[in-house]
Amino acid sequence: MQTITSVKNPLIKSLKALSRRQERENAGRILVEGEVMIREALKCGLVLKDVLCVERKADFAAGLSGEAILVPEEVMQAVCDTRTPQGVCASFQAPAPRKAEELPNPVVALDGVQDPGNVGTIWRTADAAGFGGVLLGAGCADPMSPKVLRSAMGSAFRVPFARTESMPETLGQLRAAGYSILCSDLHGEDFYERSPVNSKFVLVIGSEAHGISQATREQATHLVKLPMRGGAESLNAAVAAGIMMYELMR
């Protein structure tokens, strides 16, 4: 097994650079940390490129396809995004986004959801609930960022995604194709008493600070709100998305 000890090594520098969105997009690669996530990526068919490991993870890394590279803890720390790395990381060819109309039904759309933890958690919940795809609008956290991938726990490798620079325009096209568009609104109908939804539908989740934009809301076929029976005025975006996704699939 080859050994690299310097953070100035070209391969180490290239892997470390994958923490930045522009570098990920230029290289077409993502960095995946830890045994569980690496196994998920392989199970989902992602193409493995490079593997780094520390001594305690050498046996696991040696069992992967391709040559693993042994590094000291300080080099692993420099490459990984987490404060306490798990001792092994790998670069993979990044999953390619699809066109919005190619996403399997149903779809959860994120209108400016900026928190990576929320994006990843919604993605993971969409996977668990049985949603077919995730649509990300302008201003959303980068779906291939390390924090999103960790929060999604492999769901970002299984559930396809699409990007759009104009959420209203894209939703308008989906609406014309027969999709119901459900958007949350403070003055909307009770989510549990909503009017019937088509078999094809999009659930739109708004940003943590501003909710769903007015232009996006205008594309809705259904304006809905979760009832607030206690003193709280709102819910975390990922929690609200989870409640509605499971209820819609029920």
Side-chain angles (χ1 to χ4, degrees), residues 29 43 73 132 139:
R29 295 190 182 191
K43 188 190 304 182
E73 295 280 357

Side-chain angles (χ1 to χ4, degrees), residues 68-192:
I69 298 169
L70 190 66
V71 298
E73 295 280 357
E74 59 268 23
V75 172
M76 183 65 67
Q77 181 76 51
V79 171
C80 292
D81 181 69
T82 51
R83 291 185 180 181
T84 308
Q86 300 178 46
V88 60
C89 66
S91 69
F92 286 85
Q93 183 175 318
R98 298 191 188 183
K99 295 180 179 178
E101 62 271 20
E102 296 174 346
L103 290 175
N105 174 61
V107 174
V108 59
L110 308 184
D111 189 29
V113 179
Q114 298 177 329
D115 183 82
N118 280 339
V119 171
T121 300
I122 292 170
W123 210 332
R124 183 180 180 184
T125 308
D127 185 13
F131 270 60
V134 177
L135 175 63
L136 298 111
C140 282
D142 176 19
M144 294 293 106
S145 73
K147 290 182 180 179
V148 169
L149 294 180
R150 284 198 301 275
S151 297
M153 284 296 293
S155 294
F157 309 144
R158 280 187 297 274
V159 178
F161 72 100
R163 288 170 165 159
T164 177
E165 288 302 312
S166 176
M167 183 65 78
E169 180 179 344
T170 300
L171 291 179
Q173 293 168 351
L174 292 174
R175 179 174 176 171
Y179 281 76
S180 291
I181 310 296
L182 293 90
C183 294
S184 60
D185 185 275
L186 290 175
H187 304 291
E189 61 181 326
D190 187 313
F191 175 74
Y192 296 105

